[in-house]
Amino acid sequence: MQLFYCPDINPDQIYTLGKEESQHLVKVLRQKEGDKVHLTDGLGNLFEAEILEANPKSCIIKVVNTQEEYHKRDYYLHVAIAPTKNIARIEWFLEKATEMGIDEITPIICQHSERENTKHERLEKIIISAMKQSLKAYMPKLNTPTPLLEVIRNSSETKKLIGYCVGENRNQIKDIYKPKESVLIVIGPEGDFSEKEVEEALKNNFQTITLGKERLRTETAGIYVVNIIHSINQ
Amino acid sequence: MQLFYCPDINPDQIYTLGKEESQHLVKVLRQKEGDKVHLTDGLGNLFEAEILEANPKSCIIKVVNTQEEYHKRDYYLHVAIAPTKNIARIEWFLEKATEMGIDEITPIICQHSERENTKHERLEKIIISAMKQSLKAYMPKLNTPTPLLEVIRNSSETKKLIGYCVGENRNQIKDIYKPKESVLIVIGPEGDFSEKEVEEALKNNFQTITLGKERLRTETAGIYVVNIIHSINQ
């Protein structure tokens, strides 16, 4: 199955695919009039459509079947993570997290940040590509880089966790997170969070978590927490 | 801390670093006579050594302290995985798995394999680099590509698991794996295992496992199981 992303599709009307998608569908996949194609709006809808006109520049289709809330999760997973110096590493996180399943990603700006800017459009493209490849109908929300303290103070998730490398009283995710809880997990830069940042998080009802005995890179830590939350919810 | 890999080091004798390591240590890190440096033999020993002669071509050192069984795990994790068509993806798996902690990796040749050959030396370099970066004293064992049936028939781990996308009676890792058990987990190619391969695995005391609700790429599935095993053992 190949999935196309059409955020502006209206299932009640005929729809014309963009140039790139039309070309891919007609030239590369060699689909013809009457063939079926799958599309999503990234909002949870999986559409099955029929090709009315296999034009390689503007392919016309009509939705014939809609699956709403396709593979909807009953928990909300939000990861706020410090962009890495080598941006390829955080791009890799976006790809893998989308594939594994994530609802929201916030790049954060911390005291020890190695990088504060990201190319939003480029990152969004990576998410879209991963969403299509892994057949998701929900597109993860990607926020623009936000100061950590703002994220900490404005978060509304039920469970709020912050990964921290120092201290004795850190929790394991599996001991404090319960299935179906909405959760925000904050992952810091290579230089870790500052003490002040952790204090501020604790004041705002965050709990510190350990990410295991190994020294993980930022993006690896991000993937680790995504896996653990899914595993607990399985 | 920077870690050097010296498989042939003998802590009772003075040791001369290779050309590349010497250059890195003396030219890049600007270490001088009397400075301390960390090395591992990949067999569990973490050595602290003193620089006797900061020669940028052949730096001479002497071990002054040895930590044996550095960060030794009390469980054994072996992942047998089908190399991906795009080899970069399996290289990424090797890097991340080493960073997260793994004892043995076997590339497997299956009925639906997309690739049967790998460049052993190149893959080993990736493992060494990840081991140094993440400060591990144990180097994961990398086997050469092996037919799946051979892996299945010769495995000696306590728990034997095979990831499979079909069927109703598949287990979740967390329900059947107990902490400290040695475990072999077999991950198939994009086209999944054949029915015959799964039958053969079941005959040899393997249990089928599900890797969650999401459609994961081979290398992502590999990382997923590594994370779950570590989480259960934490």
Side-chain angles (χ1 to χ4, degrees), chain B residues 110-112 148-149 152 160-167 169-170 186-189 191-209:
Chain B
C110 314
Q111 209 175 323
H112 301 149
L148 173 66
L149 296 186
I152 284 177
K160 304 170 189 187
L161 308 175
I162 182 167
Y164 191 43
C165 298
V166 185
N169 298 320
R170 292 167 298 151
V186 184
I187 304 288
D192 210 348
F193 293 113
S194 69
E195 271 184 51
K196 209 176 155 186
E197 286 172 331
V198 174
E199 267 173 38
E200 190 63 26
L202 293 175
K203 261 190 234 165
N204 284 272
N205 301 318
F206 275 73
Q207 293 171 280
T208 54
I209 50 166

Side-chain angles (χ1 to χ4, degrees), chain A residues 161-195:
Chain A
L161 309 175
I162 182 167
Y164 191 42
C165 299
V166 185
E168 291 298 310
N169 297 321
R170 292 168 299 149
N171 304 283
Q172 292 200 28
I173 298 178
K174 62 181 177 185
D175 293 335
I176 55 174
Y177 173 79
K178 290 185 207 75
K180 298 197 184 178
E181 277 183 328
S182 69
V183 59
L184 163 62
I185 307 181
V186 184
I187 304 289
E190 301 285 313
D192 210 348
F193 293 112
S194 70
E195 270 183 51

Side-chain angles (χ1 to χ4, degrees), chain A residues 7 13 25 39 95 97 101 208 213:
Chain A
Q13 297 171 354
L25 191 63
L39 312 95
E95 180 191 320
T208 54
K213 291 165 202 156

Side-chain angles (χ1 to χ4, degrees), chain A residues 92 174 212 215 227 231 234, chain B residues 92 172 174 212 227 231 234:
Chain A
W92 166 85
K174 62 181 177 185
R215 170 173 117 161
N227 279 335
S231 169
Q234 258 195 24
Chain B
W92 167 85
Q172 292 201 30
K174 62 180 177 185
N227 278 334
S231 168
Q234 259 194 22

